[in-house]
Amino acid sequence: MSDTLQQYDAVIASCKEIFIKKTQDYGTSWRVLRPISIVDQILIKALRIRSIQEKGAQLIADNIADEFRGIINYCVIGLIQLSRDTEAIEELPAAQVEKWYDARVKETQSLMQAKNHDYGEAWRRLSQESFVDLILMKLLRMRQILANDGKTLISEGMDANYQDIINYAVFALIMRETTEKQSP
């Protein structure tokens, strides 16, 4: 499990670095995004990964790992937006956004640790295709939750789905990096 935590932290550090730099470039322009728009941005990235997996080739330079990092960062945006008044589209200070980023990731990592305890790191046996399919399934569930005005009868809400997607994307990146290190 200690390897997993170190690998998880390394993936998140790379995602956070991108997030902070983009915040410096663009500010918090993402504050205008409504819940469905965030879900759709993640959906676009997941569908692109699936398309590349199925075709075995890509024409745009952004690689699959970059798309998984984008998925993670959009999920963190989604978690932040859930806790904020989305009607107030304000520019947020970068230092505050960084604190919120860290808090959402910490909560998500705690969930991962609890699930890893119970499932015994079963994710290490999954394929890259499965991670993408699981992310797509979660996104379709989230679209249905939004169509139901955010209400569920028995199921987890938007926040739990964002957290699961973050963890799937982190796992996919860990597995990619592990595979790349093992290749000659």
Side-chain angles (χ1 to χ4, degrees):
M1 179 71 144
S2 66
D3 281 350
T4 298
L5 291 177
Q6 290 172 347
Q7 292 169 319
Y8 194 102
D9 288 342
V11 167
I12 292 299
S14 71
C15 295
K16 182 179 171 183
E17 180 182 1
I18 293 166
F19 187 89
I20 297 303
K21 286 179 179 177
K22 287 195 175 200
T23 299
Q24 291 167 349
D25 286 348
Y26 303 131
T28 55
S29 58
W30 47 265
R31 287 288 292 140
V32 303
L33 296 174
R34 291 175 277 189
I36 191 64
S37 299
I38 297 168
V39 170
D40 284 347
Q41 286 299 308
I42 300 165
L43 181 66
I44 288 168
K45 291 184 173 302
L47 287 171
R48 180 168 183 264
I49 295 168
R50 185 172 175 157
S51 174
I52 292 168
Q53 288 172 337
E54 290 175 353
K55 293 175 184 171
Q58 65 186 67
L59 299 179
I60 297 172
D62 293 343
N63 62 36
I64 289 176
D66 291 336
E67 295 294 6
F68 277 121
R69 286 184 191 92
I71 286 170
I72 291 166
N73 284 339
Y74 271 112
C75 285
V76 173
I77 286 170
L79 289 168
I80 292 171
Q81 289 285 75
L82 286 175
S83 66
R84 303 286 305 157
D85 175 12
T86 55
E87 297 298 318
I89 302 170
E90 73 260 329
E91 183 63 31
L92 300 170
Q96 182 61 55
V97 172
E98 185 173 0
K99 286 179 188 173
W100 289 333
Y101 188 101
D102 291 342
R104 297 310 174 274
V105 167
K106 184 177 180 185
E107 293 164 1
T108 303
Q109 188 180 50
S110 292
L111 174 66
M112 178 276 297
Q113 288 176 286
K115 287 187 175 185
N116 251 5
H117 174 273
D118 290 356
Y119 289 97
E121 295 202 333
W123 62 269
R124 289 196 182 267
R125 296 183 178 164
L126 299 179
S127 67
Q128 288 287 304
E129 293 83 3
S130 290
F131 289 123
V132 175
D133 291 351
L134 289 167
I135 289 169
L136 287 167
M137 179 185 65
K138 292 284 183 178
L139 291 166
L140 294 174
R141 288 178 179 180
M142 294 169 81
R143 289 174 65 92
Q144 186 61 50
I145 291 169
L146 290 170
N148 294 339
D149 294 323
K151 296 176 181 69
T152 60
L153 299 174
I154 192 170
S155 305
E156 298 173 318
M158 296 289 287
D159 56 342
N161 283 286
Y162 279 131
Q163 289 179 316
D164 284 345
I165 292 171
I166 289 171
N167 286 331
Y168 293 145
V170 169
F171 294 157
L173 286 167
I174 290 171
M175 295 300 290
R176 290 183 68 77
E177 291 170 12
T178 301
T179 303
E180 288 170 7
K181 286 180 183 175
Q182 293 172 351
S183 297

